[in-house]
Amino acid sequence: MSDELDDNDRRFLECAFNLAQEALDGDEVPVGCVFVVDGKEIGKGRNRVNETGDPTRHAEMVAVTEMWNKYGEECKDLLRRAVLYVSLEPCIMCSSAMYQLGIRKMVYGAENPRFGGVRSVGNAEKYRMEDNIQIVSNMSLSRLWGAARSCCSVISVSISPFSTLASLQRKTSVVHVQIVRQFSKKPNRKIESADTKNYTYYVMSLVIVAIGCTFAAIPAYRIFCEQTSFGGLTQVAKDFDKIANMKKCEDRLIRVQFNSDVPSSMRWEFKPQQHEIYVHPGETALAFYTARNPTNKPIIGISSYNLTPFQAAYYFNKIQCFCFEEQILNPGEQVDLPVFFYIDPDYVNDPALEYLDSILLSYTFFEAKSGLKLPDPFDPKNRPSIAPSPDKVPEATK
């Protein structure tokens, strides 16, 4: 038994590694082999287990089948004179078959510590028909490293601790290359089950988060509008010391226009008493709307408001107004509704409002049921609620 390789051995073993690479590219276990007689190739093969669905279609078996189809009965004599070059130590099945066929020499480039049937796991020598078979299981370090690395994901090289320094420096230093990459078409059912369970948890979490976001959207949007005046939501004046001490900007005059709307279902007459007024930033102002019930029955109304352009809403502060409060008007009754407000002096310092000297304040009245309370946009604790309707609608206090 010899571990020395000549040029022909290296050349044909390289062909076996090329076939192994071809098998790897085809999603097979990377094993390839070549049968050689008198320096000439007579057959070759690579793993085709996954391709054919046949667990016996190993590289050696594929090559023997093709040679038998090609040479017929002559194949028996050729195999007895053949040298097998294979990239990986044959398994027990293939090594037993090679011994039964009586091949002359077997050269493999890497040991198969998990399934090898020549030396690693099984020992198929008891099936040998002749005693002159030669086993070569090693290559030179530099040659094997380059060939095996293209076929294997992980390669570990172990050198005997009893080797001398001189033997390690030889070009034909013996190394054992162990292929630890394993290929399998069958999924791991335990891992698959765990992945399915995790996927279910992820989906359920997303559903819960989506539901939570739905409930949080309204108060979050209200807070956002309050802080940014988005959508024309104005500010509510709370700092009365600031109001008392703020200075009027004499060099800037803002025109405030007033608008009123009612939906078709609301039977009130609702309009501003003044079309517009002019206000200096830092100056308080008072405006009035008029609401009248021309019907023959009491109607409860509630209003909302909006200010445009939206950029100016941040500086528009209402001290007192009639929005978000029930207004009960008896048949034929008319009331004046005040709006007390001011424009923050910082209005003049905003570059986005440098050329904006006109804003529009608009109110809309809706008919409401008795007991309906719209949430104050500045109080996140409030929620819409409808109190039990009384037998009679209460009369407006005078």
Side-chain angles (χ1 to χ4, degrees), residues 183-220:
F183 294 84
S184 176
K185 277 289 187 178
K186 297 181 179 179
N188 188 317
R189 293 185 178 180
K190 292 184 179 179
I191 296 178
E192 188 178 69
S193 177
D195 291 343
T196 302
K197 185 180 295 184
N198 291 337
Y199 178 77
T200 303
Y201 289 154
Y202 293 149
V203 172
M204 292 177 62
S205 300
L206 289 175
V207 171
I208 293 173
V209 171
I211 294 174
C213 290
T214 301
F215 282 99
I218 295 176

Side-chain angles (χ1 to χ4, degrees), residues 320-345:
Q320 182 182 2
C321 81
F322 53 89
C323 59
F324 302 109
E325 295 180 358
E326 284 187 357
Q327 308 290 334
I328 304 173
L329 296 184
N330 290 319
E333 183 179 5
Q334 177 176 310
V335 295
D336 294 332
L337 304 172
V339 180
F340 191 30
F341 67 93
Y342 73 91
I343 299 175
D344 195 291

Side-chain angles (χ1 to χ4, degrees), residues 34-46:
V34 178
F35 284 87
V36 177
V37 174
D38 298 332
K40 295 182 180 180
E41 177 186 310
I42 62 170
K44 62 182 179 180
R46 66 169 180 85

Side-chain angles (χ1 to χ4, degrees), residues 39-56:
K40 295 182 180 180
E41 177 186 310
I42 62 170
K44 62 182 179 180
R46 66 169 180 85
N47 258 5
R48 296 184 182 274
V49 173
N50 294 331
E51 177 185 338
T52 62
D54 185 349
T56 66

Side-chain angles (χ1 to χ4, degrees), residues 36-332:
V36 177
V37 174
D38 298 332
K40 295 182 180 180
E41 177 186 310
I42 62 170
K44 62 182 179 180
R46 66 169 180 85
N47 258 5
R48 296 184 182 274
V49 173
N50 294 331
E51 177 185 338
T52 62
D54 185 349
T56 66
R57 302 303 289 164
H58 292 193
E60 299 88 342
M61 296 304 183
V62 171
V64 170
T65 301
E66 292 182 357
M67 287 188 294
W68 187 267
N69 293 334
K70 181 177 181 180
Y71 298 107
E73 291 293 332
E74 184 184 355
C75 184
K76 294 181 180 180
D77 180 63
L78 290 174
L79 287 172
R80 291 182 181 277
R81 296 186 291 123
V83 178
L84 169 62
Y85 296 93
V86 59
S87 59
L88 184 67
E89 177 185 358
C91 65
I92 295 177
M93 176 186 71
C94 295
S95 58
S96 299
M98 296 304 104
Y99 284 131
Q100 289 288 340
L101 292 172
I103 62 173
R104 179 172 63 86
K105 182 179 179 181
M106 183 188 302
V107 180
Y108 58 85
E111 292 182 350
N112 188 350
R114 295 192 62 182
F115 305 107
V118 179
R119 294 174 176 172
S120 298
V121 178
N123 185 357
E125 292 196 7
K126 61 183 179 180
Y127 300 110
R128 292 168 61 175
M129 297 179 63
E130 298 182 7
D131 295 330
N132 62 346
I133 187 169
Q134 182 181 0
I135 306 297
V136 179
S137 61
N138 301 305
M139 296 176 62
S140 67
L141 175 61
S142 59
R143 188 68 193 89
L144 180 58
W145 181 265
R149 184 169 55 182
S150 64
C151 301
C152 311
S153 61
V154 181
I155 298 178
S156 62
V157 180
S158 60
I159 301 178
S160 171
F162 302 103
S163 300
T164 63
L165 180 60
S167 64
L168 293 176
Q169 293 176 342
R170 290 185 303 166
K171 292 184 179 180
T172 58
S173 297
V174 178
V175 297
H176 301 286
V177 179
Q178 300 177 345
I179 302 179
V180 298
R181 180 175 182 178
Q182 302 298 325
F183 294 84
S184 176
K185 277 289 187 178
K186 297 181 179 179
N188 188 317
R189 293 185 178 180
K190 292 184 179 179
I191 296 178
E192 188 178 69
S193 177
D195 291 343
T196 302
K197 185 180 295 184
N198 291 337
Y199 178 77
T200 303
Y201 289 154
Y202 293 149
V203 172
M204 292 177 62
S205 300
L206 289 175
V207 171
I208 293 173
V209 171
I211 294 174
C213 290
T214 301
F215 282 99
I218 295 176
Y221 181 76
R222 183 184 297 119
I223 294 173
F224 172 75
C225 291
E226 176 186 349
Q227 297 299 323
T228 64
S229 295
F230 181 80
L233 186 64
T234 65
Q235 304 294 307
V236 174
K238 299 178 181 179
D239 189 351
F240 295 102
D241 291 336
K242 177 181 178 180
I243 297 174
N245 298 320
M246 65 182 179
K247 295 182 180 180
K248 181 171 63 174
C249 300
E250 297 286 355
D251 58 344
R252 190 76 178 271
L253 193 62
I254 308 300
R255 182 178 68 168
V256 181
Q257 297 176 295
F258 300 90
N259 179 63
S260 61
D261 292 293
V262 290
S264 58
S265 59
M266 182 60 167
R267 289 159 291 176
W268 279 9
E269 295 175 357
F270 177 57
K271 62 182 179 179
Q273 292 187 10
Q274 62 287 309
H275 178 66
E276 62 184 28
I277 62 175
Y278 288 85
V279 182
H280 292 282
E283 177 185 20
T284 59
L286 180 64
F288 287 91
Y289 280 79
T290 298
R292 178 177 177 272
N293 179 9
T295 67
N296 58 0
K297 64 177 183 178
I299 296 178
I300 302 173
I302 196 165
S303 67
S304 64
Y305 67 92
N306 178 270
L307 188 138
T308 55
F310 296 160
Q311 299 94 320
Y314 182 78
Y315 301 98
F316 192 95
N317 293 264
K318 294 191 300 179
I319 302 173
Q320 182 182 2
C321 81
F322 53 89
C323 59
F324 302 109
E325 295 180 358
E326 284 187 357
Q327 308 290 334
I328 304 173
L329 296 184
N330 290 319

